[in-house]
């Protein structure tokens, strides 16, 4: 009885994939003091895998979300300086009505500035604007030896670029200075179209890229045969004020996913039924309309705790990018592998990526990104292994923010920039005091 109570009372931490590990986080408004001593910084916990989880239960974890002050904002240039715990959602709530928006946003607004830098997040405009790190001017950081430095492309550039996309492993981000974007209205002009298969999808993405600053697509990753890769392509831009002829949209309503579904609820039959209904709900082949920003950028944010749909088993997201030079055939073959491996999912996203960023481990490269949610099963390691082997053969890579199952030898094979990142860690944290469950798994950090 006592053992059961102790187990019940043991605190745990989990990523968005809902797989929990023993650990406890400390939240503090004074991030500068809280990060003294080796610690792992953690924001809103939206990384899917183990990058924001402690390597051991005794490792210090600092939650940054109370350190969320805006320190300065230049109304002429849009340059903002803020604490690392400030979220994109908080920024948007204040600045969207004033005609400003973050330069780059991922598919959720529930990400902190520190997390946006550590993951070097990308969005629907990567082919035009690159990753978030492209718009960062400087950062204030606490290093593993407890010293505090200001870093930028001109000052300690190796530290700066190892931090962008570096998963929090070279220092604690305390403050971020970056450039916001001025927008003409609070509406997005969106064009959407039904696409019959993956070949047509790639053609449509190529045609949309020069016309639209933001593009992405939803794919039915369970469809096979001539319909493999069918889906809905969405492209958009900020609407001009004269195009809207109405006031800015109200703040979105949010609902909470009410219960944790049983593990059997999401299966090949229910996933296929959802995918078919979602594909055909787009009745017109192509349509254009004004939409509020949230449904365009953050469709899933309207349902809080939507990850409960995967049940207690949890889930992972596999996201890779296949290089442009691998060609359309590589994307078709990847989709064929994905459908045959049979990990049912109602969520698969395809994006067009522009040139590789300067961050040491920044994820995107010029090519096609595919992200798919997969429920964790006894077969998940084999599925990830097979997909990784294909990605390595094409010269592609996976996104660390989403990963939990990649083997260290696979990541080494797909990441030629790893030695440069290790060199930066050796300089700024030679004792590897900063670590996570992910760095222990992939890089062999001692636990």
């Amino acid at each position: 009885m006592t053992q059961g109570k102790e187990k019940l009372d043991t605190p745990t931490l989990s990523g968005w994939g809902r797989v929990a590990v023993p650990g406890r986080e400390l939240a503090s408004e004074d991030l500068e003091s809280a990060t003294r001593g080796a610690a792992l910084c953690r924001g809103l916990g939206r990384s899917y895998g183990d990058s924001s989880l402690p390597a051991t239960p005794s490792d210090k974890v600092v939650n940054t979300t109370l350190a969320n002050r805006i320190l300065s904002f230049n109304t002429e240039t849009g340059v903002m300086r803020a604490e690392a715990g400030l979220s994109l959602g908080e920024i948007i709530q204040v600045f969207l009505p004033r005609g400003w928006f973050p330069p780059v946003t991922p598919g959720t607004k529930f990400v902190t500035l520190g997390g946006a830098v550590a993951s070097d997040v990308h969005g629907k405009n990567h082919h035009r604007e690159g990753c978030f790190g492209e718009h960062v001017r400087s950062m204030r950081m606490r290093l593993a030896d407890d010293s505090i430095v200001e870093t930028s492309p001109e000052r300690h550039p190796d530290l700066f670029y190892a931090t962008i996309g570096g998963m929090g492993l070279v220092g604690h981000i305390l403050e971020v200075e970056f450039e916001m974007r001025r927008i003409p209205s609070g509406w997005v002009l969106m064009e959407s179209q039904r696409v019959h298969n993956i070949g047509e999808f790639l053609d449509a993405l190529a045609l949309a890229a020069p016309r639209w600053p933001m593009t992405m697509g939803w794919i039915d990753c369970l469809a096979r045969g001539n319909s493999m890769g069918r889906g809905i392509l969405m492209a958009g831009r900020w609407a001009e004020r004269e195009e809207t002829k109405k006031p800015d949209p109200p703040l979105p309503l949010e609902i909470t996913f009410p219960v944790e579904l049983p593990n059997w609820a999401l299966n090949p039959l229910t996933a296929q039924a959802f995918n078919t209904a979602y594909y055909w709900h787009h009745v017109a082949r192509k349509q254009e309309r004004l939409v509020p920003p949230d449904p365009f950028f953050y469709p899933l944010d309207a349902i809080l705790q939507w990850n409960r749909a995967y049940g207690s088993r949890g889930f992972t997201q596999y996201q890779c990018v296949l290089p442009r030079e691998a060609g359309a055939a590589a994307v078709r073959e990847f989709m064929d592998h994905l459908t045959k491996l049979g990990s049912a999912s109602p969520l698969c996203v395809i994006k067009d990526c522009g040139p590789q960023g300067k961050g040491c481990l920044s994820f995107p490269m010029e090519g096609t990104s595919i992200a798919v949610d997969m429920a964790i099963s006894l077969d998940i390691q084999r599925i990830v292994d097979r997909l990784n082997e294909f990605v390595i053969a094409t010269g592609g890579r996976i996104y660390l923010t989403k990963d939990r199952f990649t083997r260290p030898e696979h990541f080494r094979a797909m990441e030629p920039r790893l030695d440069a990142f290790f060199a930066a860690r050796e300089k700024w944290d030679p004792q590897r005091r900063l670590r996570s469950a992910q760095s222990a798994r992939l890089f062999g950090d001692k636990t």
Side-chain angles (χ1 to χ4, degrees), residues 63-378:
N63 183 283
T64 67
T65 54
L66 295 181
N68 62 349
R69 294 178 300 169
I70 297 172
L71 303 174
S72 65
F73 181 72
N74 188 313
T75 57
E76 297 297 323
T77 64
V79 173
M80 178 186 294
R81 191 173 185 92
E83 292 180 316
L86 184 69
S87 73
L88 295 187
E90 291 169 321
I91 293 172
I92 292 166
Q93 185 174 9
V94 174
F95 285 90
L96 180 64
R98 293 168 170 81
W100 296 92
F101 200 78
V104 170
T105 178
T108 176
K109 61 186 175 185
F110 300 125
V111 58
T112 62
L113 288 177
V117 172
S119 294
D120 201 14
V121 296
H122 62 283
K124 298 173 178 61
N125 60 349
H126 187 269
H127 63 290
R128 295 281 186 92
E129 296 286 350
C131 293
F132 190 85
E134 298 292 317
H135 308 275
V136 175
R137 295 162 57 101
S138 64
M139 292 177 283
R140 180 176 169 84
M141 298 183 62
R142 180 182 290 284
L143 303 180
D145 64 2
D146 280 345
S147 61
I148 294 179
V149 300
E150 187 79 14
T151 180
S152 69
E154 297 75 36
R155 190 173 183 181
H156 308 306
D158 59 334
L159 174 63
F160 183 81
Y161 290 115
T163 301
I164 293 175
M167 309 310 293
L169 297 175
V170 289
H172 305 305
I173 303 167
L174 303 177
E175 299 173 6
V176 181
E177 184 173 294
F178 67 103
E179 299 173 0
M180 293 277 283
R181 285 288 182 265
R182 194 184 293 276
I183 57 174
S185 78
W187 293 90
V188 174
L189 180 66
M190 183 180 79
E191 178 185 274
S192 59
Q193 66 179 96
R194 256 189 306 114
V195 183
H196 292 144
N197 54 52
I198 190 62
E200 186 178 317
F201 222 128
L202 294 174
D203 291 342
L205 277 171
L207 289 173
R211 295 178 52 233
W212 297 93
M214 298 176 284
T215 62
M216 63 86 67
W218 168 84
I219 285 182
D220 179 356
C221 66
L222 300 178
R224 299 190 179 188
N226 293 333
S227 296
M228 184 184 71
R230 70 179 183 178
I232 299 171
L233 172 65
M234 288 154 276
R237 62 171 172 81
W238 290 102
E240 297 298 326
R241 179 58 65 183
E242 57 270 19
E243 291 177 308
T244 63
K245 298 179 181 178
K246 52 185 173 180
D248 287 347
L251 293 175
L253 297 174
E254 294 175 342
I255 60 173
T256 299
F257 202 92
V259 295
E260 177 182 273
L261 293 184
N263 289 337
W264 53 261
L266 183 61
N267 58 62
L269 289 177
T270 57
Q272 186 60 73
F274 174 89
N275 285 5
T276 300
Y278 191 78
Y279 178 73
W280 288 109
H281 96 283
H282 196 284
V283 179
R285 177 69 191 279
K286 181 182 288 190
Q287 59 186 28
E288 187 177 287
R289 64 191 188 277
L290 290 172
V291 296
D294 270 71
F296 182 76
F297 290 106
Y298 317 116
L300 287 176
D301 280 355
I303 307 174
L304 304 179
Q305 300 184 46
W306 60 262
N307 56 350
R308 290 176 172 177
Y310 283 87
S312 60
R313 60 187 168 176
F315 70 109
T316 188
Q317 186 176 100
Y318 185 88
Q319 184 167 4
C320 68
V321 59
L322 305 174
R324 190 86 67 212
E325 55 264 28
V331 181
R332 285 193 292 268
E333 191 172 349
F334 179 86
M335 290 302 304
D336 188 49
H337 278 294
L338 193 60
T339 56
K340 287 179 179 177
L341 285 169
S343 185
S345 174
L347 183 61
C348 183
V349 173
I350 187 169
K351 292 178 186 173
D352 186 43
C353 293
Q356 176 176 286
K358 296 180 181 179
C360 275
L361 295 183
S362 181
F363 161 66
M365 65 170 68
E366 192 159 2
T368 303
S369 168
I370 300 172
V372 57
D373 284 1
M374 299 185 291
I376 292 176
S377 66
L378 295 176

Side-chain angles (χ1 to χ4, degrees), residues 33-54:
S33 296
T35 53
R36 288 196 182 101
L40 175 68
C41 281
R42 172 183 166 94
L44 288 163
R46 283 304 182 105
S47 53
Y48 282 63
D50 51 3
S51 61
S52 67
L53 301 181

Side-chain angles (χ1 to χ4, degrees), residues 24-36:
R24 186 192 304 271
E25 60 182 345
L26 165 71
S28 174
E29 295 179 4
D30 186 356
L31 195 56
E32 190 169 309
S33 296
T35 53
R36 288 196 182 101

